[in-house]
Amino acid sequence: MTRCLGWVVLSACTLVGSARAYGQEPSEPQGAAGAARANGPKAPLSAGVAKRLRSGDAALIKGALDEVRTSGKAGVAAAPTIIDLLRQGMSTALTQAAIETLGDVENESASEVLGWYSRHRSVELRRSAVEALAKTRGPVAVRALRSALSDSDAAVRGFAATALGSTKAKDSVPDLFTALDHNVPEASAAIGELCSDNDCQRLAARMGSIPFDIVTSGLEEVLLRPTSEVSDNAKIDVVERVRGVATAEANRFLKGVQKRWPARGSPRVKQSIDQAVTATSAASGLRRTEDSP
């Protein structure tokens, strides 16, 4: 049974239905699909994939989805059909397979339907949809991921935070701070990947109110980003804040950054890190953070 879900714009459903009524298929998405056609897929789909996807037979659909997943980005030609299947609704198992397939295809046109499934009642489908949105990207995906930061499931919230960092969604930093303050630890690293100077310093200021290892998962990202993204002054401020903690954890963290410091990294920041390592090594007792008052 074919149906258009309430969230789908009626005109889109009408266009799809009208095209089929005249024996036509919906046009393929532009952008990534056009590039794939121009460059030539590395693992072209077999001629019968689209027919199997529309067959209504669960085994044939699953086999076709598997073939598309194996093709990766080269399976972009099948994306509109898979999107249509998700709009119509399928069994939970096939729905999850279709969501994961769209993630592997990495086509932005899938972000809308994946965004709807990121709010589905099934937590398993929400998790899969959020993971797929990290790959399809685009403004629609970012909006859905920001919304998923407040999901009732911790894994969904964590996946969403990590995805926002990997997709370089800088506008999501305020949402990530809110998530971090509401026990989404993955938000720290995402903030570290995205923050401006002021926001990076705001993250460092969370030391003391948020567990040290969570905050420093973001601060490590801050310190290792290029100077074009985070200034030397902001990085030195972060180093000094960590140095001020004067604990064994602070020393281990600084040593870890010291070892990973790039050969072409800023000499000023490197000097600050070296001095902080020495200072925290000499700190009286090197108390553990959890023993601090």
Side-chain angles (χ1 to χ4, degrees), residues 226-251:
T227 303
S228 60
E229 295 181 6
V230 182
S231 72
D232 284 359
N233 287 340
K235 291 181 181 181
I236 290 170
D237 179 75
V238 167
V239 172
E240 290 303 310
R241 288 174 184 267
V242 176
R243 175 177 175 169
V245 175
T247 62
E249 284 83 357
N251 181 258

Side-chain angles (χ1 to χ4, degrees), residues 75-233:
V76 67
T81 304
I82 299 170
I83 291 168
D84 194 39
L85 289 174
L86 286 172
R87 286 172 174 166
Q88 294 171 23
M90 299 182 289
S91 69
T92 299
L94 283 178
T95 297
Q96 183 150 359
I99 289 171
E100 292 171 354
T101 300
L102 288 177
D104 288 339
V105 170
E106 300 184 23
N107 186 258
E108 187 178 332
S109 67
S111 292
E112 182 182 4
V113 72
L114 292 173
W116 186 85
Y117 276 99
S118 73
R119 303 186 297 276
H120 197 275
R121 64 182 178 276
S122 165
V123 67
E124 289 80 10
L125 294 183
R126 296 203 306 274
R127 290 173 182 173
S128 295
V130 168
E131 289 189 280
L133 284 164
K135 301 176 183 178
T136 57
R137 301 176 176 251
V140 173
V142 168
R143 285 196 296 272
L145 291 169
R146 291 172 73 169
S147 177
L149 287 172
S150 58
D151 192 272
S152 60
D153 180 67
V156 171
R157 297 193 300 270
F159 290 154
T162 299
L164 286 167
S166 68
T167 55
K168 304 302 179 186
K170 293 187 177 182
D171 289 346
S172 68
V173 168
D175 299 306
L176 287 165
F177 268 112
T178 299
L180 179 61
D181 292 338
H182 287 81
N183 197 30
V184 182
E186 295 88 348
S188 180
I191 293 170
E193 292 181 79
L194 304 172
C195 57
S196 62
D197 283 9
N198 288 339
D199 285 330
C200 293
Q201 291 167 329
R202 281 181 62 201
L203 177 61
R206 292 298 200 277
M207 283 187 294
S209 60
I210 292 175
F212 183 82
D213 61 329
I214 293 175
V215 177
T216 51
S217 68
L219 297 184
E220 182 172 17
E221 298 289 344
V222 170
L223 293 173
L224 294 174
R225 284 169 62 190
T227 303
S228 60
E229 295 181 6
V230 182
S231 72
D232 284 359
N233 287 340

Side-chain angles (χ1 to χ4, degrees), residues 51-62:
K51 183 176 181 180
R52 283 183 282 141
L53 286 171
R54 301 188 193 96
S55 68
D57 182 287
L60 290 177
I61 294 171
K62 181 60 168 61

